Amino acid sequence: MKREFQFVEQLLRLCRADEEQPTGEDVAFLRVVQGGRPGELHELTGERIVLGRHPSCEVILDNAAISRQHARLIRQSSQFVLEDLGSRNGTYVNGKAVTSTRKIANRDRIRICDIVLEYLDELPLMEATVAGELSYNESLQPNAAGQITIDQENPELESSSSIITTISAKTMGHRLDVRPEAKLRAIIELTRLFSRTFQLETVMKKTLECLFSLFPQSELGLVLLIDPQTKEPIVRAARDRDGETSLDQKVSSTVIQQALDSHAAILSEDLGDDTRFRESESASLLEIRSILCSPLTGGEGMSFGAIQLTTKDLRKPFNQDDLDLFVSVTAQAALAIENAHMHSEMVQRREMERDLEVATQIQLGFLPNKMPSILGFEFCHFYQAAQQVGGDYFDYVRLPDGRLAIAVGDVSGKGVPAALLMARLCSAVRYHLVAQKTLGEALSQLNREMLDSGLGFRFITLAVMVLEPGKNDVILANAGHLPPVLHHAGQSECLEGDFAGLPLGVSPEAEYSQRTVPLKKGASLLLYTDGITETDNGEGELYGRERLLKARPEKNFSAEDLINYVLNDTIDFGDGQPQRDDRCVVAVKYTG
């Protein structure tokens, strides 16, 4: 027991030194209790945290019944208040509906539809009761002299042990019979202290430092993590008797691979005489005599790395009692390393989301933010990307002779690549509409420019109409885009014909023509992308062109009325299914 106390004191000293460093702003968390992915932690940083279904939310809740921006947490000093953002199905705290704002306290339960979140003002400790006596949240505190005293409630446990050559790593966190209650309490306190350290390198270095203090016969200690690309274990931390050492270390891959494959910790008191590893050339070349190796096992029971201690001195080999204690330490190290991984991923994801927010604002800057004004016409538009940025495009372009061109396009694909190409398309369309004499020539030149730009296998569909103030004629050109819909005198039709050519970026020989369509007073034209017609109802059925032709108010409707009717009709048809594609629609009404 003396050596165990030294181990605990050493780790407490190291972790306490780290804990005394300033941590900055207090960090709170939301833990998923029900629905979604139970156990998932969301770190709450910043002043305002929006919860909802939309990808731009800080806490994304993947449930069709949840509003896009459902609720919001607002920091007030060291606390948060919760505000419902006018959601359809409401927000509840401890079973009571949030009507305005409500202060949130530690352990409060927030229910949003079928998802329940628990608010935590610090990372939770493991909580469980063993045989009705030992609680995981019992803490271990040093006395005034800096020493640790432990009350032995059950001294009979002191003599109990489980000493075997291999120990299953899948149950390491639940083995309560291998050491007395005192050691369990110490390990749990170490878990709490490790939970305050989010730096992966720090966790690995502290683990090795403590292992060398606990096992002084060790000559080399390694922490290896499996590379996500190569699936091979890579040395990420190394230590010898002089301290930290180079990561360029040769290892016995046979021992490590067996520990990873079997999910079991391995002890070899004399590797040279161990029948399991006689075929290992690396072990012989490294002159390893005694070794401890344990896999690092995650919450799902999968090994993501290993910790290994070796010595060349056969006079001080590791023994079976060492294996038991080694397994306990590596189990806590695995938990701390996994927490550090999760924290690192959250930080990277937050940085990426911030970059995407900036990209969203930049992309929206390419698109019109107000309706144009031209004699005899009224306009309305709607744009919504499936992700934070998208490949749908629309624009109003004033031509030198006073006419107005309206363009709606769709870049193949979604996300950042499509958004970058959309930005290029925006400037190219404006240039060619002004530079060329006819609309057909403008599309032909635009097609050649897109091909010369080296777009790879990407293509663009584009429909353009040109209006002249005070005239009822509209000029149309179409590069593989969905046909515009014309509503007039209670009738609806798709404007198709020979003037519709291939998408841009498909063939350098493609030539485009134009068509002039006369409009009667009250007629409306609708330009749209496939995010409208390919709305899915969850049963494999698409909204389609036929429904779009019928999607109009009964009579005397404005351009805005037409847009709202189409959007509401697709939402009702989709029956709460998530948006799978970018959506863009532009309506033009001839008022005479």
Side-chain angles (χ1 to χ4, degrees), residues 340-357:
H341 265 305
M342 291 175 61
H343 181 266
S344 176
E345 289 174 356
M346 284 193 295
V347 170
Q348 292 177 5
R349 184 173 62 184
R350 192 182 306 117
E351 291 176 351
M352 184 178 298
E353 288 172 352
R354 288 172 181 166
D355 290 343
L356 283 174
E357 287 176 4

Side-chain angles (χ1 to χ4, degrees), residues 32-292:
V32 179
V33 176
Q34 176 182 311
R37 290 181 288 182
E40 181 180 25
L41 284 174
H42 296 275
E43 186 178 357
L44 305 180
T45 58
E47 300 301 316
R48 298 174 184 269
I49 296 94
V50 177
L51 295 77
R53 183 162 48 89
H54 197 273
S56 64
C57 295
E58 283 74 17
V59 178
I60 301 172
L61 305 175
D62 188 10
N63 187 313
I66 295 174
S67 300
R68 292 179 179 275
Q69 284 83 30
H70 196 104
R72 176 170 57 193
L73 285 166
I74 304 172
R75 185 184 295 276
Q76 292 185 354
S77 185
S78 60
Q79 289 185 314
F80 280 96
V81 297
L82 180 65
E83 175 187 14
D84 184 85
L85 298 177
S87 63
R88 290 178 296 171
N89 296 316
T91 304
Y92 298 82
V93 175
N94 300 331
K96 295 183 179 180
V98 177
T99 55
S100 56
T101 59
R102 171 168 176 161
K103 287 188 177 180
I104 302 299
N106 190 39
R107 299 289 185 176
D108 277 350
R109 295 288 180 97
I110 302 171
R111 180 170 67 82
I112 297 178
C113 297
D114 293 335
I115 295 180
V116 179
L117 306 164
E118 183 178 34
Y119 173 79
L120 303 166
D121 56 18
E122 64 178 0
L123 268 181
L125 306 182
M126 291 189 300
E127 297 175 350
T129 301
V130 180
E133 297 179 3
L134 178 60
S135 235
Y136 269 82
N137 59 0
E138 296 182 52
S139 61
L140 178 68
Q141 299 292 342
N143 61 21
Q147 299 174 334
I148 298 171
T149 60
I150 303 176
D151 295 331
Q152 293 290 333
E153 297 179 6
N154 191 351
E156 294 180 1
L157 291 176
E158 181 68 28
S159 61
S160 68
S161 63
S162 178
I163 303 174
I164 52 180
T165 306
T166 63
I167 297 179
S168 173
K170 290 185 176 180
T171 58
M172 285 192 294
H174 305 287
R175 292 183 59 85
L176 305 179
D177 59 332
V178 295
R179 280 301 188 212
E181 180 180 341
K183 191 183 76 174
L184 284 175
R185 291 181 178 176
I187 293 297
I188 290 151
E189 181 65 13
L190 294 177
T191 301
R192 185 184 72 83
L193 293 171
F194 265 139
S195 69
R196 296 179 179 270
T197 302
F198 294 112
Q199 297 298 321
L200 178 61
E201 301 299 325
T202 302
V203 171
M204 294 189 295
K205 290 176 182 178
K206 282 186 177 182
T207 299
L208 289 179
E209 185 175 346
C210 294
L211 286 172
F212 266 74
S213 177
L214 183 59
F215 303 106
Q217 72 268 47
S218 303
E219 295 185 37
L220 180 64
L222 303 175
V223 178
L224 303 97
L225 300 181
I226 295 177
D227 185 270
Q229 275 74 41
T230 65
K231 306 301 180 183
E232 297 292 329
I234 304 298
V235 177
R236 295 293 302 276
R239 183 181 181 87
D240 57 22
R241 288 180 176 176
D242 296 326
E244 294 179 32
T245 187
S246 170
L247 300 182
D248 186 17
Q249 298 289 335
K250 294 181 179 180
V251 298
S252 175
S253 57
T254 304
V255 177
I256 292 171
Q257 198 59 50
Q258 180 169 323
L260 292 174
D261 293 342
S262 63
H263 303 287
I266 294 173
L267 160 69
S268 182
E269 295 186 22
D270 185 354
L271 198 62
D273 196 36
D274 195 324
T275 57
R276 295 173 298 174
F277 307 115
R278 282 180 179 174
E279 304 299 323
S280 174
E281 296 182 4
S282 58
S284 302
L285 293 173
L286 294 171
E287 299 180 352
I288 297 173
R289 300 311 302 265
S290 188
I291 187 169
L292 287 170

Side-chain angles (χ1 to χ4, degrees), residues 312-328:
K312 298 179 181 179
D313 190 350
L314 194 55
R315 295 172 300 175
K316 300 177 182 179
F318 300 113
N319 56 44
Q320 292 175 324
D321 188 53
D322 292 332
L323 177 66
D324 175 32
L325 190 55
F326 181 69
V327 164
S328 299

Side-chain angles (χ1 to χ4, degrees), residues 536-577:
D536 188 349
N537 66 358
E539 299 179 359
E541 187 178 5
L542 300 181
Y543 184 75
R545 189 184 302 182
E546 294 302 319
R547 287 187 177 85
L548 182 62
L549 284 171
K550 300 175 183 178
R552 65 179 188 276
E554 291 186 3
K555 58 182 179 179
N556 299 326
F557 53 86
S558 64
E560 183 178 2
D561 293 335
L562 180 58
I563 292 283
N564 290 334
Y565 193 98
V566 170
L567 293 176
N568 290 331
D569 199 42
T570 55
I571 291 172
D572 292 341
F573 176 82
D575 194 26
Q577 293 297 311

